């Protein structure tokens, strides 16, 4: 080509080229300036912004779950604790042949079909460097076996976690409750930030109602992680704040005794310290093992518990609603004294039945032959129905209702458990509203003996008994006595919550009724006199027998049908010692027959045990109060 | 030819040089090497290796491979510099024809083009005939235009345009729009330096402005996606915009002085994709800060300015046009790469010359500098041509 080069004006060409290069240089300068400006903007002007972004990129905040607080009874017996539980985890990226690995592992630890399925599912979700759990709850033997063979399994390791454990099993299961894995329903009620590292939450019982104290506060660690999310190192660590340990009012031996007394039966026992409202025992029989629920209960097992006719999951002590039967009579007597009914001061003749009007329906006494002429004390001791029919008729339903609600009947007690039933204290107004029907005079009569519409929970009965024992001083029942914060060694003491006391126009009204209740157990003709025999302290009680038959569906009481029905519920309320009472008890034995036969002996055993320690002093005290 | 005694006279034109004996020629002159340019290139390579060591996660094997490539590339440069521009000019049509044939072979062989989805793949080494076109297109144009007097007539410009358009279209069909545009640019630079009239430049510019919106419809989806993600990277922070966001974070978080060598968190924690190749400038900016970025930019400028200076001093039209165009192309690489990494230009797969990990483009680039040196040091071609 160059051979055919024609003559050219070299100088002109050179200057043209120089011109063009200069223009290009100008363009280069402009572009340089623009890029430098951009760099200054990114690295100087917006440096802080990008530095933050970079920091957020690499630094991950990982939550550290706090250790859940322990639960103790009043003497430090452990009711709920955290124990290490071992799980087997596999890091997929370290495993070349997963099938071969699983086959080899099978020789050492049991891997069920369901374990493998769950594992394979999780394998797809997790990143290859994250451990995937293969087996939970390894036994000690399996842990030891694996430890010896660990060298054979690179990428497989044992992880220890803390798992909730209830060492006493079924003991106080309804009261302590249990924790379980956080469900979708739980998510709605919890603080997402505080629970970021937590897997379990209180589901029921104290575990639920004191969740806030038990859970503690989460800690955090700042870790540096790469784009794939792999943690490279820990930059900073804020330890979690452990949850509070709870000390209950509960007396574990007393609880154990009560559960033993009710073994094989269905029923409930509530024991309260009348001075503080502290729950000493709270039994619902039959019970269940809360440990089953902690790491997920198998469907079949849960179904068996749920569908069992004995309803072990149901907390009868606070949610069971029973007609109080004759255990309501002391309160009716008090009402009569308070409004100064003439009848309360004199003897009433009991022929064995009662009629509202001549030729009308006969309301029968439990004793066919009748009690004859009975005073209030005698009526209480012998549980004369006719006497209380008469009191109820004279009081009328409205006055009875107004008086009894002051003892907490028909209202929730405010106990520190997540759920409780309110019971029912009927009134004409309630009946009109709920049933759309007028109140019948006959219903007033049966309300006087704790039948009909009236329903109480064992807890309500125990609480009303405690109020009676303290001559009207009312407290809110409490399960937890104090919370101990381990980290700062601080103690929160839950003081007794007192409610306005019930004042009587005459203080001696209390003594008259209590005297009648003492005669129930210590009187010669008392219904529970056999349970009072040989007691080294004086106590007051009242038997009750409640018809099981659903009276609420009946407009009128049909005596004959009920009499042939299933066995009645047996009830007993008591407190002791009579002077300076330290314990008030309500016992309900479902279909237990009569209160005196099946419920009162239970109460007696509990009283013996609870008051047993200071028997000598108790004896003195009871002797001193003998006159009262 | 190197024994030509007139050389000293024509090089500097200074009277002092006239007195200098022929024997005094330095080694660099005998090797047809320009020491300042070589120094700049060596400096750039050294910085590049240092940054690459950090960007690759201190992978010494990778560093070794890059070192071997640099060695080859510098050898190619020196070898190319030994051959006179006249010879290159003579061979040019053959080279051009061969490179077009290779392009056709690629199209026929069905080797697929670049897709944005390959971005997370690291260091894919491919032989790309399109890289050769970055050299042969300006060579062809320079040879064609240098035949006649400059500035060229419009008819010759149209033919020259054809020389550009054919390979550009073929590369765009691969499809590799970024390379196609850069190849076209290298050709257009020759036209520009040859003195193409401003009226024509303005007319072409207007045409491009009109055609740009039309071309949107001719683009592939991934190409549109790149432009969209360039305009609004936050729209899809984990998809196509991810690299851009992470790259800006890397650069911005570097600040004035940087996080220090080997301490760039964006790069080492693998947030930054393509950190050894296209986005290596972000690693440098993160670890050495604004000052480091300015430093390497200064080296790029030094090379560019010295390159243009060499082209200016060259008296021979072929070498002059070609050398100038290649230097401008080199600078455009730098601008496009840094512009892309800092988010002022759309993401196109253009490596940072001599710094990014990779082979093909490095060899063709150094060959270009070899031609430039050849054009500068073999300046007696003109006199020889006259004699012939």
């Amino acid at each position: 080509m160059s051979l055919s080069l024609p003559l050219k004006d070299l100088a002109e060409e050179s200057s043209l080229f120089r011109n063009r290069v200069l223009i290009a240089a100008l363009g280069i300068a402009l572009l340089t300036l623009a890029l430098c400006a951009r760099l200054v903007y990114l690295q100087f002007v917006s440096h802080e912004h990008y530095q933050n972004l970079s920091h957020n990129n690499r630094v991950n905040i990982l939550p550290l779950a706090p250790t859940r607080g322990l639960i103790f009874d009043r003497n430090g017996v452990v009711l709920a604790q955290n124990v290490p539980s071992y799980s087997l985890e596999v890091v997929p990226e370290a495993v070349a042949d997963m099938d071969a690995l699983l086959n080899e592992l099978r020789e050492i630890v049991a891997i069920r079909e369901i374990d493998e399925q769950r594992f394979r599912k999780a394998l797809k979700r997790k990143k290859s460097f994250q451990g995937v759990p293969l087996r939970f709850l390894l036994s000690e033997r399996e842990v030891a076996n694996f430890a010896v063979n660990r060298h054979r399994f690179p990428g497989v390791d044992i992880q220890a976690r803390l798992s909730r454990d209830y060492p006493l099993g079924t003991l106080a299961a309804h009261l302590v409750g249990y924790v379980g894995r956080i469900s979708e329903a739980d998510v709605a009620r919890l603080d997402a930030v505080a629970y970021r590292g937590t897997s379990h939450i209180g589901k029921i019982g104290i575990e639920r109602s004191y969740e806030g104290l038990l859970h503690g506060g989460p800690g955090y660690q700042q870790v540096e992680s790469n784009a794939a999310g792999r943690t490279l190192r820990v930059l900073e660590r804020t330890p979690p704040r452990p949850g509070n340990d709870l000390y209950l009012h509960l007396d574990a031996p007393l609880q154990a005794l009560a559960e033993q007394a009710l073994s094989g039966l269905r029923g409930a026992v509530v024991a309260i310290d009348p001075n503080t409202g502290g729950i000493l025992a709270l039994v619902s029989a039959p019970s269940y093992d809360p440990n089953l629920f902690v790491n997920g209960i198998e469907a079949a097992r849960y179904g068996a518990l749920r569908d069992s006719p004995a309803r072990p999951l149901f907390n009868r002590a606070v949610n069971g609603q029973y007609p109080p039967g004759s255990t309501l009579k002391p309160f009716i007597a008090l009402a009569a004294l308070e409004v100064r009914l003439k009848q309360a001061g004199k003897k009433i003749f009991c022929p064995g039945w009662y009629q509202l009007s001549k030729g009308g329906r006969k309301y029968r006494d439990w004793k066919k032959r009748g009690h004859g002429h009975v005073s209030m004390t005698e009526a209480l001791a012998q549980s004369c129905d006719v006497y209380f029919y008469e009191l109820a008729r004279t009081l009328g339903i409205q006055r009875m209702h107004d008086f009894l609600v002051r003892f907490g009947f028909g209202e929730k007690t405010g106990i520190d458990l997540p759920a409780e039933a309110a019971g029912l204290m009927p009134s004409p107004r309630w009946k009109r509203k709920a049933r759309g029907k007028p109140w019948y005079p006959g219903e007033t009569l049966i309300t006087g003996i704790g039948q009909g519409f009236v329903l109480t929970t064992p807890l309500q009965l125990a609480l009303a008994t405690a109020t009676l024992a303290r001559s009207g001083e009312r407290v809110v029942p409490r399960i937890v006595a104090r919370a101990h914060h381990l980290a700062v060694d601080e103690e929160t003491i839950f003081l007794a919550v007192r409610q306005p006391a019930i004042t009587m126009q005459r203080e001696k009204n209390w003594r008259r009724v209590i005297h009648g209740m003492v005669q129930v157990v210590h009187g010669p003709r008392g219904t529970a006199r056999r349970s009072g025999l040989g007691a080294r302290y004086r106590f007051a009680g009242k038997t009750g027998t409640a018809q099981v038959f659903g009276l609420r569906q009946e407009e009128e009481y049909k005596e004959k049908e009920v009499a042939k029905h299933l066995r009645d519920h047996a009830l007993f309320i008591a407190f002791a010692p009579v002077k300076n009472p330290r314990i008030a008890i309500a016992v309900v034995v479902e279909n237990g027959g009569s209160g005196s036969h099946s419920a009162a002996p239970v109460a007696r055993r509990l009283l013996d045990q609870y008051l047993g320690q200071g028997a000598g002093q108790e004896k003195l005290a009871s002797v001193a109060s003998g006159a009262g | 030819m190197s024994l030509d005694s007139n050389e000293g006279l024509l090089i500097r034109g200074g009277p002092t040089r006239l007195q200098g004996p022929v024997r005094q020629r330095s080694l660099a002159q005998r090797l047809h090497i320009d020491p300042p340019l070589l120094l700049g290139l060596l400096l750039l390579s050294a910085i590049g290796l240092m940054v690459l060591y950090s960007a690759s996660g201190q992978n010494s094997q990778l560093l070794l491979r890059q070192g071997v490539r640099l060695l080859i590339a510098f050898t190619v440069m020196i070898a190319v510099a030994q051959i006179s521009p006249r010879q290159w000019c003579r061979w040019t049509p053959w080279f051009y024809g061969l490179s077009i044939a290779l392009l056709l072979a690629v199209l026929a062989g069905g080797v697929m083009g670049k897709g944005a989805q390959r971005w997370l793949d690291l260091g894919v080494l491919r032989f790309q005939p399109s890289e050769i076109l970055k050299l042969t297109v300006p060579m062809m144009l320079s040879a064609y235009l240098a035949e006649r007097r400059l500035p060229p007539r419009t008819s010759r410009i149209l033919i020259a345009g054809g020389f550009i358009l054919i390979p550009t279209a073929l590369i765009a069909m691969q499809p590799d729009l970024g390379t196609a545009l850069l190849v076209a640019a290298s050709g257009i630079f020759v036209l520009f330096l040859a003195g193409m009239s401003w009226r024509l430049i303005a007319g072409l510019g207007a045409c491009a402005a009109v055609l740009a919106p039309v071309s949107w419809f001719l683009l592939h989806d991934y190409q549109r996606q790149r432009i969209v993600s360039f305009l609004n990277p936050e729209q899809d922070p984990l998809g196509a915009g991810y690299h851009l966001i992470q790259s800006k974070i890397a650069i911005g978080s570097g600040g004035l002085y940087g996080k220090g060598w080997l301490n760039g968190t964006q790069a080492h924690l693998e947030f930054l994709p393509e950190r050894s190749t296209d986005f290596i400038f972000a690693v440098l900016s993160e670890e050495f800060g604004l000052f480091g970025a300015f430093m390497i930019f200064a080296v790029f400028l030094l090379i560019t300015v010295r390159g243009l200076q060499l082209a200016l001093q060259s008296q021979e039209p072929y070498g002059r046009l070609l050398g100038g165009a290649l230097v401008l192309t080199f600078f455009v690489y730098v601008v496009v790469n840094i512009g892309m990494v800092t988010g002022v230009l759309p993401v196109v797969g253009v490596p940072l010359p001599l710094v990014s990990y990779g082979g093909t483009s490095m060899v063709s680039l150094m060959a270009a500098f070899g031609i430039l040196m050849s054009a500068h040091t073999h300046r007696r071609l003109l006199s020889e041509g006259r004699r012939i």
Side-chain angles (χ1 to χ4, degrees):
Chain A
M1 278 188 194
S2 59
L3 292 175
S4 59
L5 194 76
L7 284 173
K8 292 185 289 184
D9 189 340
L10 291 175
E12 196 186 309
E13 268 185 36
S14 278
S15 82
L16 177 69
F17 184 73
R18 187 176 301 270
N19 261 336
R20 287 297 162 102
V21 167
L22 279 177
I23 290 163
L26 194 72
I28 287 171
L30 283 175
L31 286 171
T32 302
L33 220 63
L35 282 186
C36 286
R38 177 63 177 174
L39 284 171
V40 168
Y41 172 76
L42 285 178
Q43 298 195 274
F44 183 68
V45 181
S46 315
H47 170 55
E48 218 164 293
H49 170 69
Y50 287 112
Q51 196 171 33
N52 280 340
L53 289 179
S54 158
H55 188 259
N56 293 346
N57 248 352
R58 80 189 169 95
V59 175
N60 265 351
I61 308 266
L62 295 185
L64 296 170
T67 312
R68 196 173 177 84
L70 309 182
I71 302 178
F72 301 96
D73 90 330
R74 55 168 46 208
N75 297 313
V77 175
V78 178
L79 301 173
Q81 63 185 358
N82 306 308
V83 294
S85 85
Y86 301 96
S87 60
L88 199 65
E89 292 198 358
V90 181
V91 179
E93 70 175 0
V95 177
D97 185 348
M98 192 61 80
D99 295 326
L101 175 88
L102 291 182
N103 281 334
E104 277 187 64
L105 270 175
R106 259 181 243 279
E107 295 164 16
I108 292 166
V109 295
I111 300 170
R112 291 169 300 167
E113 191 73 18
I114 189 168
D115 293 324
E116 192 179 332
Q117 278 173 6
R118 185 172 49 190
F119 173 72
R120 295 223 181 252
K121 232 187 210 169
L123 213 55
K124 287 174 196 155
R125 280 202 318 269
K126 296 233 179 166
K127 298 195 168 157
S128 65
F129 54 82
Q130 287 176 322
V132 182
L134 175 60
R135 257 290 309 275
F136 294 103
L137 298 170
L138 294 176
S139 69
E140 298 276 332
R141 174 176 286 271
E142 284 173 320
V143 171
N145 267 345
F146 179 79
V148 174
N149 290 288
R150 176 175 285 158
H151 63 277
R152 288 171 52 199
F153 304 105
V156 185
D157 214 343
I158 288 192
Q159 289 287 329
R161 289 198 176 84
L162 286 179
S163 178
R164 198 64 159 172
D165 177 62
Y166 303 97
L168 300 181
T170 58
L171 187 103
H174 293 100
L175 176 137
V176 173
Y178 53 79
V179 298
R181 291 188 190 285
I182 294 175
S183 68
E184 273 177 48
D186 296 322
V187 171
R189 68 179 166 102
L190 57 75
D191 171 9
V193 175
Y195 279 81
R196 271 185 60 187
T198 308
S199 58
H200 286 69
I201 191 168
K203 295 283 186 183
I204 202 165
I206 285 299
E207 290 273 31
R208 173 160 186 164
S209 52
Y210 284 83
E211 175 65 30
L213 282 172
L214 287 167
H215 178 253
Y220 291 98
Q221 56 183 3
Q222 285 195 351
V223 297
E224 184 172 85
S225 37
N226 67 5
R230 184 200 296 264
T231 297
L232 300 176
R233 63 191 167 116
V234 176
L235 301 174
E236 211 183 302
R237 193 172 184 277
T238 311
R241 184 169 46 79
N244 288 273
D245 293 341
L246 297 184
Y247 287 84
L248 311 187
H249 287 288
L250 192 82
D251 185 292
L254 188 70
Q255 174 84 12
L257 180 74
E259 290 188 13
Q260 189 202 328
L262 284 186
S263 67
L265 301 172
R266 282 170 288 111
V269 171
V270 177
I272 293 186
D273 180 342
N275 306 299
T276 61
I279 299 288
L280 302 171
L282 190 135
V283 180
S284 176
S287 188
Y288 61 92
D289 184 359
N291 290 304
L292 295 174
F293 289 86
V294 175
N295 285 306
I297 185 166
E298 286 152 57
R301 250 176 156 162
Y302 180 68
L305 279 175
R306 185 193 53 205
D307 301 334
S308 161
R311 301 181 69 195
L313 297 178
F314 182 58
N315 187 353
R316 293 172 162 83
V318 294
N319 288 318
Q321 303 186 95
Y322 304 90
S326 302
T327 58
L328 197 65
K329 285 175 181 168
F331 305 96
I332 302 287
L334 263 179
L337 291 170
E338 177 63 8
V339 300
R340 299 185 182 213
L341 284 188
K342 270 187 287 176
Q343 281 84 343
K346 59 185 189 185
K347 291 200 173 190
I348 292 172
F349 179 71
C350 167
W353 46 268
Y354 187 81
Q355 269 179 321
L356 275 171
S357 55
K358 276 236 164 91
R361 268 182 65 125
K362 279 185 177 174
Y363 292 89
R364 298 199 178 276
D365 193 281
W366 65 271
K367 198 172 179 182
K368 270 190 177 168
R369 289 178 288 121
H371 296 89
H373 288 277
V374 286
S375 66
M376 179 179 279
T377 305
E378 288 165 329
L380 282 170
Q382 300 170 31
S383 200
C384 173
D385 290 337
V386 169
Y387 182 90
F388 285 94
Y389 287 145
E390 174 62 14
L391 288 194
R393 187 191 61 79
T394 343
L395 278 165
I397 183 62
Q398 195 58 51
R399 282 201 289 188
M400 265 197 293
H401 169 270
D402 294 348
F403 186 81
L404 289 174
V405 292
R406 292 167 69 190
F407 279 85
F409 289 111
E411 280 172 7
K412 290 186 176 179
T413 63
I415 191 175
D416 44 352
L417 279 176
E420 71 171 306
L424 176 63
M425 193 62 231
S427 67
R429 196 161 161 211
W430 163 82
K431 198 187 172 196
R432 255 197 313 278
K433 209 167 151 192
R435 301 289 165 90
K437 294 213 171 104
W439 186 266
Y440 298 113
E443 290 164 349
T444 306
L445 295 194
I446 58 173
T447 304
I449 61 160
Q451 296 284 358
F453 298 112
V454 58
L455 289 174
T456 60
T457 66
L459 176 67
Q460 281 176 330
L461 273 178
L463 187 66
T465 308
T467 305
L468 185 61
R470 296 281 302 169
S471 303
E473 278 178 27
R474 295 178 69 209
V475 286
V476 174
R478 277 273 163 263
I479 292 171
V480 178
R482 59 202 162 92
H484 184 235
H485 196 305
L486 205 68
V488 291
D489 200 22
E490 258 179 21
E491 196 136 275
T492 312
I493 294 173
F494 299 102
L495 295 173
V497 179
R498 305 201 178 274
Q499 289 190 309
I502 301 167
T503 50
M504 286 289 179
Q505 290 184 1
R506 284 182 298 181
E507 270 303 297
K508 71 171 186 186
N509 290 351
W510 293 108
R511 291 201 294 278
R512 283 188 65 180
V513 172
I514 290 169
H515 177 65
M517 288 174 73
V518 171
Q519 291 305 309
V520 171
V521 285
H522 297 301
R525 302 184 70 187
T527 49
R529 61 187 178 278
R530 248 174 303 173
S531 291
L533 283 177
R536 294 198 283 178
Y537 48 87
R538 281 178 80 80
F539 71 104
K542 182 71 195 83
T543 53
T545 304
Q547 265 99 28
V548 175
F549 194 60
L551 276 168
R552 281 187 286 170
Q553 291 136 19
E554 300 281 307
E555 285 175 17
E556 283 185 77
Y557 183 65
K558 289 173 187 165
E559 195 180 0
K560 278 181 186 168
E561 276 181 43
V562 176
K564 291 175 190 166
H565 210 268
L566 284 165
R567 293 181 70 185
D568 300 331
H569 291 330
L571 293 96
F572 190 69
I573 58 172
F575 65 88
V578 172
K579 208 154 207 184
N580 298 322
R582 287 168 51 204
I583 180 170
I585 293 184
V587 179
V588 176
V589 180
E590 283 183 20
N591 313 119
S594 77
S596 56
H597 273 93
S598 47
V602 173
R604 170 68 194 276
R605 285 173 71 185
L606 296 184
L607 294 179
D608 277 355
Q609 161 139 343
Y610 189 71
L611 301 173
Q613 290 98 346
Q617 287 170 339
E618 290 311 322
K619 203 173 179 182
L620 284 175
S622 56
V623 168
S625 67
Chain B
M1 335 173 217
S2 57
L3 296 174
D4 188 340
S5 55
N6 286 338
E7 190 169 2
L9 178 93
L10 282 169
I11 292 172
R12 310 273 194 259
T16 45
R17 286 284 164 155
L18 264 174
Q19 276 116 40
V22 174
R23 301 268 178 267
Q24 274 186 359
R25 286 194 312 157
S26 66
L27 178 73
Q29 280 167 322
R30 267 183 281 150
L31 278 176
H32 305 286
I33 292 298
D34 179 59
L37 186 58
L38 182 68
L39 193 75
L41 292 170
L42 283 174
L43 192 62
L44 191 60
S45 307
I47 294 173
L49 283 175
M50 196 167 77
V51 178
L52 185 64
Y53 182 64
S54 174
S56 64
Q58 296 161 48
N59 184 340
S60 43
Q61 252 189 318
L62 187 133
L63 202 68
L64 192 71
R65 279 205 296 272
Q66 180 81 345
V68 168
R69 275 194 202 122
L70 278 170
L71 210 65
I72 295 171
F74 272 91
T75 311
V76 165
M77 178 185 80
I78 291 169
V80 165
Q82 305 312 309
I83 298 164
S84 75
R86 194 179 61 154
Q87 194 60 45
W88 284 118
C89 190
R90 232 178 261 141
W91 288 342
T92 291
W94 297 104
F95 281 139
Y96 181 76
L98 189 69
S99 61
I100 296 282
L102 278 172
L103 268 188
L104 288 169
V106 165
L107 279 178
V111 175
M112 59 179 181
K114 250 188 185 176
Q117 67 274 12
R118 279 211 198 154
W119 273 42
L120 291 170
D121 286 1
L122 256 181
V124 180
L125 233 169
R126 295 175 299 160
F127 176 73
Q128 286 181 296
S130 52
E131 286 294 333
I132 301 174
L133 269 299
K134 287 176 184 171
L135 264 179
T136 54
V137 164
M139 278 168 87
M140 186 64 205
L141 263 83
S142 303
Y144 178 67
L145 294 175
E147 268 186 326
R148 298 283 158 82
R149 70 181 275 134
L150 297 174
R153 273 181 312 216
T154 312
S155 60
R156 288 185 70 81
I157 288 177
L158 284 178
I159 292 170
F163 286 140
I164 300 174
L165 211 61
I166 292 164
T168 303
L170 288 176
I171 296 169
M173 277 160 69
Q174 281 189 357
D176 188 351
L177 199 65
T179 309
L181 285 174
L182 285 168
V183 165
S186 66
I188 289 166
F189 285 141
V190 177
L191 283 173
F192 171 77
L193 292 174
M196 184 174 152
S197 76
W198 287 108
R199 238 184 299 167
L200 219 52
I201 293 173
L204 282 177
C207 274
V210 171
L211 283 177
V214 177
S215 65
W216 174 261
F217 298 100
L218 299 173
L219 290 178
H220 286 256
D221 279 344
Y222 81 92
Q223 290 165 331
R224 286 185 203 170
Q225 187 54 48
R226 279 191 199 173
I227 293 171
V228 168
S229 74
F230 154 67
L231 292 173
N232 187 10
E234 280 77 13
Q235 184 192 40
D236 183 16
L238 291 176
Y242 178 75
H243 330 72
L244 203 48
I245 292 171
Q246 295 298 345
S247 167
K248 277 156 76 175
I249 291 174
I251 297 170
S253 65
L256 285 181
Y257 308 104
K259 298 174 181 172
W261 189 47
L262 305 178
N263 285 331
T265 55
Q266 284 289 105
H268 291 286
L269 304 178
E270 297 164 31
F271 289 105
L272 193 63
E274 301 279 316
R275 55 198 167 278
S276 302
T277 54
D278 290 353
F279 280 85
I280 198 163
F281 183 78
V283 179
L284 181 136
S285 303
E286 187 186 16
E287 299 193 345
F288 299 100
L290 186 61
F291 288 115
F294 276 0
M295 272 257 296
I296 199 166
F297 211 95
V299 177
F300 280 125
L301 267 184
L302 174 86
I303 293 169
T304 309
V305 169
R306 180 62 186 165
L308 287 178
Q309 209 181 347
L310 294 187
L312 274 176
Q313 284 170 5
S314 167
Q315 298 294 316
E316 196 275 326
Y318 170 78
R320 188 165 67 186
L321 281 180
L322 180 55
L326 290 175
V327 170
L328 290 181
T329 311
F330 166 79
F331 186 74
V332 163
Y333 276 30
V334 175
V335 169
V336 169
N337 179 272
I338 296 180
M340 154 183 105
V341 172
T342 55
V344 288
L345 288 177
V347 174
V348 285
V350 175
L352 191 62
L354 287 181
V355 180
S356 288
Y357 179 76
T360 324
S361 66
M362 188 193 291
V363 172
S364 65
L365 181 84
M366 293 305 276
F369 282 112
I371 289 173
L372 185 66
M373 288 184 181
S374 150
H376 175 60
T377 50
H378 294 86
R379 264 155 307 174
R380 65 255 152 272
L381 180 99
L382 183 64
S383 49
E384 275 180 17
R386 284 265 158 84
R387 261 184 302 186
I388 289 163

